[in-house]
Amino acid sequence: MPPRYTRRLALLAVIVFIAIGLFIVEQRPQHLLETHRFPSLHDLVHDAGTPSKQETHNEELDPCTVLSPQKNFIDLRGLSVIENHHGQDVRHLLWSSRGYDLGHNYTIGVCLGAIKRNLLGSADIIDGLNASEVGAYYIEQSLGRYILMGQVTSKPVYKGRKLTLTYENGTQCNGMTFKDGTPLRRRTILTFTCDREMLTKAHVSYVASVDECTYFFEVRSHLACPTAAKADNLAAIWIFILILLAALLVYFSGGVLYKALKRQSLHL
């Protein structure tokens, strides 16, 4: 094949590759920057029990993972356990935070129980709740008993643009009831903030408490940042295959076209 035809076919192949790449990029979801605005405590308290629009889309995801409103994948499982090279859980992670206004030391689990396994049988929890379902707690020093701040769940949800994890149905709040006389129970609201510059895995900070009944904590971690879901790896493979097929199509069609033009020129 003459050099000029080779150069033209190579240029045509490059143009086809660029066109396919641009098309694929346009079809992928656009990742918007995450805002770090902390929502008001009033919004979090009143929205914690309200189902989010994203919850129905997250039902098929693995526990402790979520899709943001921009369809970004977030995996918080690294805040729950430490895995070995074989993907097996070797140690559960528990997080501590000090509430200086109330003088309590809080222990929190992310998507898993906050009480160590060797203490499940001996933990004395007020109201006699199941120790294995404790998502967050503190110990009342005067009683020496565990105060449950909410039962664990592994379904993080977005409230507006803020990623949250809410533990509900904890120990009864002191003397607080609904209008029908049903006692209010403690709950904990964790909000997650993406922080790519942290040197540690995460930092959990106590924010506030409302009447010692609803507790707020902020979790800053790079694990709260959007990442590529496992399905994206397969998508990358298909993209490569499509580009390769396009290259082969251009190569062979160019050869066929050149032979046809050559035969036509010989007949002239």
Side-chain angles (χ1 to χ4, degrees):
M1 184 179 296
R4 64 176 182 276
Y5 287 105
T6 303
R7 289 195 296 268
R8 290 176 182 176
L9 289 176
L11 179 60
L12 179 61
V14 171
I15 295 174
V16 171
F17 294 160
I18 295 175
I20 293 176
L22 291 175
F23 174 78
I24 294 173
V25 169
E26 288 296 327
Q27 298 304 312
R28 293 173 65 85
Q30 299 297 319
H31 290 186
L32 302 181
L33 294 177
E34 178 185 7
T35 59
H36 298 291
R37 180 183 63 83
F38 195 88
S40 68
L41 298 184
H42 177 272
D43 293 340
L44 286 176
V45 169
H46 291 279
D47 292 344
T50 304
S52 169
K53 293 182 179 179
Q54 281 76 34
E55 289 187 48
T56 55
H57 300 290
N58 295 332
E59 291 179 356
E60 298 179 358
L61 296 176
D62 292 333
C64 215
T65 63
V66 67
L67 290 178
S68 72
Q70 294 80 32
K71 304 305 180 183
N72 296 323
F73 181 76
I74 298 177
D75 189 350
L76 301 177
R77 289 173 292 187
L79 300 175
S80 303
V81 295
I82 296 178
E83 297 182 345
N84 59 19
H85 298 295
H86 302 289
Q88 298 172 336
D89 299 346
V90 295
R91 184 163 68 89
H92 287 187
L93 294 176
L94 299 178
W95 305 93
S96 300
S97 184
R98 173 75 175 175
Y100 292 98
D101 55 347
L102 300 175
H104 299 313
N105 292 316
Y106 303 105
T107 301
I108 302 163
V110 177
C111 298
L112 86 168
I115 298 180
K116 295 181 179 179
R117 293 177 180 177
N118 60 334
L119 298 177
L120 291 178
S122 59
D124 184 10
I125 301 177
I126 293 180
D127 293 345
L129 300 175
N130 190 342
S132 64
E133 298 179 356
V134 175
Y137 73 89
Y138 68 90
I139 297 178
E140 182 60 58
Q141 299 299 330
S142 60
L143 302 175
R145 304 182 69 185
Y146 288 74
I147 304 296
L148 171 59
M149 298 158 55
Q151 294 181 337
V152 68
T153 180
S154 59
K155 294 182 178 180
V157 296
Y158 268 87
K159 300 301 179 183
R161 291 185 177 273
K162 200 66 180 178
L163 178 59
T164 66
L165 185 64
T166 303
Y167 298 155
E168 299 184 296
N169 299 319
T171 303
Q172 294 183 13
C173 303
N174 298 328
M176 301 178 65
T177 61
F178 290 102
K179 292 182 179 181
D180 60 0
T182 304
L184 282 172
R185 291 189 174 274
R186 288 174 167 83
R187 63 177 171 176
T188 296
I189 300 176
L190 307 178
T191 62
F192 296 85
T193 300
C194 170
D195 191 339
R196 300 183 186 275
E197 299 180 357
M198 289 198 65
L199 299 178
T200 58
K201 180 169 286 192
H203 179 71
V204 180
S205 301
Y206 169 79
V207 177
S209 170
V210 179
D211 298 326
E212 288 196 62
C213 193
T214 301
Y215 305 85
F216 299 91
F217 297 87
E218 182 183 25
V219 183
R220 302 187 70 89
S221 174
H222 66 89
L223 294 172
C225 301
T227 60
K230 294 180 179 179
D232 283 352
N233 296 329
L234 184 60
I237 295 175
W238 279 110
I239 292 172
F240 175 78
I241 293 176
L242 289 175
I243 293 177
L244 180 60
L245 291 176
L248 294 174
L249 178 62
V250 170
Y251 177 79
F252 288 111
S253 61
V256 172
L257 179 60
Y258 169 73
K259 291 179 180 179
L261 293 176
K262 187 176 181 179
R263 285 196 300 267
Q264 185 178 4
S265 62
L266 292 176
H267 289 295
L268 293 177

